[in-house]
């Protein structure tokens, strides 16, 4: 197992390097880099000031070709963003910094990428942790109950609800929750901005907890519903498959209680496919769909930061967040493989013995 872990850790290096390299290359061919973005802003500012730049006052990405901008100023902007250096030199400089976990400085937030990620991480972690644990806390018991009552009215009704939840994207459900409970056309029960109230620091401990739960109810609900459907059906199918096996009939013939057979024998054997889904569920809970949920509920997290950095061509933030997300994803997958052995010691990562 240790040899396997060492190999996996070594494989992470070229995987991470390849993802960063491809992203860096794509950025070199993307139109409207950070230099052009800044020049467009200066150009549009000149148009609003009445300068003859040929640019409309709306500004934005309608760049007019550096007219009215001094060539020396253009070079200063290139130097500021490091684009006075050739791409290969910038690439090696990026890799050297990432090797020491130095993610650079944001072009537009005027602070280090590491501190920027640290500021936004609390929102994403809050949503991700709640989504991940609630997904399993709901799906596993519900899947077991459906397997035990397979073919019953309970199984039919819950399957229908689960499929409806799976078919409904999180942001659509979020809009419905806002309309129903967020002061839309019906009830004004839950807040729609931030994870805490403005006076959160003035509240007592119990009031702080209640205020936090009050704020996360709608975004977490919108994130969880579409995720736990797959786990519920997977749990049900795996339990049904195990229930039909010979060892279950033998355990029942020995006089063991149905609860003991279910949770001690069947559950352990049916747990392995659930463990294999840990990495995907974890990554999905933290990163997949976080952009839409954070935007919809005005939560300033990593999803919104990544989206804004792509729009603003803030390359250090794009590469820094991608580096962090990829590294976390690879480590979580490795932990998932380790969990296989803990659940079922029969699994061997080494070559088969003669």
């Amino acid at each position: 197992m240790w040899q396997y872990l060492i190999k996996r850790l070594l494989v992470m290096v070229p995987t991470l390097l390849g993802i960063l390299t491809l992203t860096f290359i794509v950025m070199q061919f993307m139109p409207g880099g950070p230099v052009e973005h800044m020049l467009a802003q200066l150009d549009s500012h000149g148009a609003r000031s009445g300068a003859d730049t040929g640019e409309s006052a709306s500004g934005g990405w309608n760049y007019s070709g550096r007219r009215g901008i001094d060539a020396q100023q253009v070079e200063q902007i290139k130097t500021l963003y490091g684009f006075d250096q050739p791409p290969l030199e910038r690439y090696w400089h990026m890799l050297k910094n990432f090797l020491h976990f130095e993610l650079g400085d944001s072009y537009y937030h005027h602070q280090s990428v590491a501190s920027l990620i640290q500021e936004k991480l609390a929102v994403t972690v809050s949503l991700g942790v709640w989504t991940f644990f609630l997904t399993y806390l709901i799906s596993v018991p519900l899947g077991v109950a459906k397997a035990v009552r397979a073919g019953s009215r309970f199984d039919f009704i819950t399957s229908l609800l689960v499929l409806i939840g799976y078919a409904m994207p999180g942001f659509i459900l979020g809009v419905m929750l806002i309309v129903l409970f967020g002061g839309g056309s019906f009830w004004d029960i839950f807040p729609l901005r931030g994870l805490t109230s403005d006076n959160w620091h003035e509240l007592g401990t119990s009031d702080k907890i209640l205020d936090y739960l009050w704020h996360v109810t709608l975004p977490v609900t919108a994130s969880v519903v579409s995720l736990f459907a797959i786990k519920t059906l997977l749990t049900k199918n795996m339990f049904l498959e195990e229930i039909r096996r010979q060892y279950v009939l033998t355990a029942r013939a020995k006089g063991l209680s149905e609860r003991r057979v279910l949770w001690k024998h069947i559950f352990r054997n049916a747990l392995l496919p659930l463990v294999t889904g840990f990495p995907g569920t974890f990554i999905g809970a933290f990163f997949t769909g976080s952009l839409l949920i954070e935007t919809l509920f005005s939560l300033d997290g990593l999803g919104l930061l990544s989206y804004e950095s792509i729009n603003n061509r803030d390359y250090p933030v794009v590469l820094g967040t991608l580096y962090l997300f990829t590294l976390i994803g690879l480590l979580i997958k490795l932990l998932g493989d380790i969990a296989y052995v803990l659940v079922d010691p029969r699994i061997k990562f080494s070559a088969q013995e003669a």
Side-chain angles (χ1 to χ4, degrees):
M1 179 178 175
W2 288 109
Q3 293 180 353
Y4 172 80
L5 294 179
I6 294 174
K7 290 179 181 179
R8 283 291 301 271
L9 290 173
L10 293 176
V11 169
M12 286 183 185
V13 177
T15 303
L16 190 61
L17 181 64
I19 292 175
L20 291 174
T21 302
L22 288 176
T23 305
F24 183 86
I25 293 174
V26 169
M27 286 180 175
Q28 306 311 306
F29 296 96
M30 289 179 63
V35 175
E36 286 74 15
H37 192 189
M38 177 59 71
L39 293 175
Q41 291 180 344
L42 294 175
D43 209 11
S44 62
H45 177 73
R48 287 192 297 268
S49 302
D52 185 17
T53 62
E55 176 72 19
S56 64
S58 60
W61 286 97
N62 297 323
Y63 180 49
S64 61
R66 301 180 183 179
R67 287 183 291 172
I69 300 178
D70 186 77
Q72 185 178 1
Q73 189 175 15
V74 174
E75 295 301 322
Q76 290 176 349
I77 295 175
K78 286 185 176 181
T79 303
L80 176 65
Y81 292 149
F83 281 84
D84 58 326
Q85 303 173 356
L88 189 59
E89 185 175 345
R90 287 188 281 115
Y91 172 75
W92 287 116
H93 181 69
M94 177 198 71
L95 291 183
K96 183 177 69 174
N97 288 339
F98 280 11
L99 183 63
H100 298 88
F101 290 94
E102 297 178 3
L103 305 182
D105 298 323
S106 169
Y107 292 155
Y108 300 100
H109 293 276
H110 306 293
Q111 64 183 108
S112 66
V113 175
S115 63
L116 194 60
I117 291 176
Q118 186 176 0
E119 289 180 5
K120 312 294 184 181
L121 194 60
V123 173
T124 303
V125 167
S126 294
L127 292 179
V129 168
W130 281 110
T131 302
F132 178 75
F133 283 106
L134 285 177
T135 297
Y136 277 92
L137 288 176
I138 295 174
S139 61
V140 173
L142 182 58
V144 173
K146 288 173 62 63
V148 173
R149 299 174 177 85
S152 65
R153 179 178 297 180
F154 170 81
D155 183 31
F156 174 78
I157 295 176
T158 53
S159 295
L160 182 61
L161 294 176
V162 164
L163 292 176
I164 292 175
Y166 175 70
M168 183 179 299
F171 70 94
I172 296 295
L173 179 60
V175 172
M176 294 177 59
L177 292 175
I178 290 175
V179 173
L180 290 174
F181 306 109
S185 304
F186 295 89
W187 301 282
D188 187 4
I189 300 177
F190 296 99
L192 299 178
R193 178 177 293 274
L195 290 180
T196 56
S197 301
D198 295 335
N199 62 337
W200 188 78
H201 296 287
E202 303 173 2
L203 302 175
T205 302
S206 59
D207 291 333
K208 285 182 177 179
I209 296 175
L210 292 176
D211 181 77
Y212 168 74
L213 295 176
W214 182 46
H215 279 75
V216 300
T217 298
L218 293 187
V220 169
T221 301
S223 301
V224 167
V225 170
S226 60
L227 279 179
F228 81 86
I230 296 178
K231 298 301 175 187
T232 300
L233 297 179
L234 176 63
T235 304
K236 174 191 172 182
N237 293 334
M238 291 309 303
F239 266 78
L240 285 176
E241 183 178 346
E242 294 296 326
I243 287 173
R244 300 187 181 102
R245 293 189 182 274
Q246 184 64 39
Y247 74 88
V248 176
L249 298 177
T250 304
R252 287 171 176 168
K254 291 181 178 180
L256 296 179
S257 64
E258 192 66 25
R259 179 181 294 273
R260 185 177 179 86
V261 172
L262 183 63
W263 293 107
K264 185 175 181 179
H265 296 275
I266 298 177
F267 183 75
R268 182 169 183 175
N269 291 313
L271 187 63
L272 187 58
L274 299 177
V275 173
T276 62
F278 270 18
T281 305
F282 182 87
I283 296 172
F286 274 83
F287 308 125
T288 305
S290 62
L291 165 62
L292 295 174
I293 299 299
E294 290 176 8
T295 304
L296 188 61
F297 292 96
S298 300
L299 301 174
D300 193 10
L302 289 180
L304 188 59
L305 174 66
S306 301
Y307 174 73
E308 291 177 346
S309 63
I310 293 174
N311 279 345
N312 294 328
R313 303 300 191 266
D314 197 350
Y315 291 164
V317 177
V318 174
L319 290 170
T321 53
L322 179 67
Y323 175 74
L324 177 64
F325 292 169
T326 305
L327 186 61
I328 292 176
L330 292 173
L331 291 175
I332 291 299
K333 288 183 178 296
L334 179 60
L335 292 177
D337 289 344
I338 297 175
Y340 299 165
V341 179
L342 298 179
V343 174
D344 191 350
R346 296 172 297 178
I347 294 179
K348 301 294 182 182
F349 292 122
S350 59
Q352 294 182 354
E353 298 180 359

